Amino acid sequence: MTVMWGDLTEEEQTALKRMNRGPYPALSKALAERLVFLGLAEERPRGTGINRTGRELVINTLLGARAE
């Protein structure tokens, strides 16, 4: 399943952007589970973190916005 930026809620987008910068301790359990389900994050020993797919989505979105 390929997830596009526009498929995400504003809350999901914000969480991914924050996770892309580093640990996001305010991430709710439900939102973390949703991002893992979507294939954009993964469970780690220190909590849920953004994965390669999620990072690529954020970076491509930010670069696309910069180009406009």
Side-chain angles (χ1 to χ4, degrees):
M1 163 171 85
T2 301
V3 178
M4 305 299 288
W5 191 253
D7 298 335
L8 302 173
T9 66
E10 186 175 334
E11 182 182 30
E12 292 165 343
Q13 292 173 357
T14 299
L16 279 177
K17 285 192 260 185
R18 289 183 179 165
M19 291 168 71
N20 192 46
R21 288 188 236 130
Y24 182 34
L27 183 66
S28 73
K29 182 174 170 46
L31 185 52
E33 288 173 354
R34 171 80 175 146
L35 293 173
V36 169
F37 173 78
L38 292 172
L40 302 173
E42 58 191 35
E43 291 299 330
R44 298 184 179 153
R46 293 185 175 180
T48 305
I50 193 168
N51 64 16
R52 180 181 298 255
T53 303
R55 192 172 308 280
E56 287 176 359
L57 180 60
V58 172
I59 291 170
N60 289 338
T61 299
L62 294 174
L63 290 176
R66 188 178 286 180
E68 291 177 3

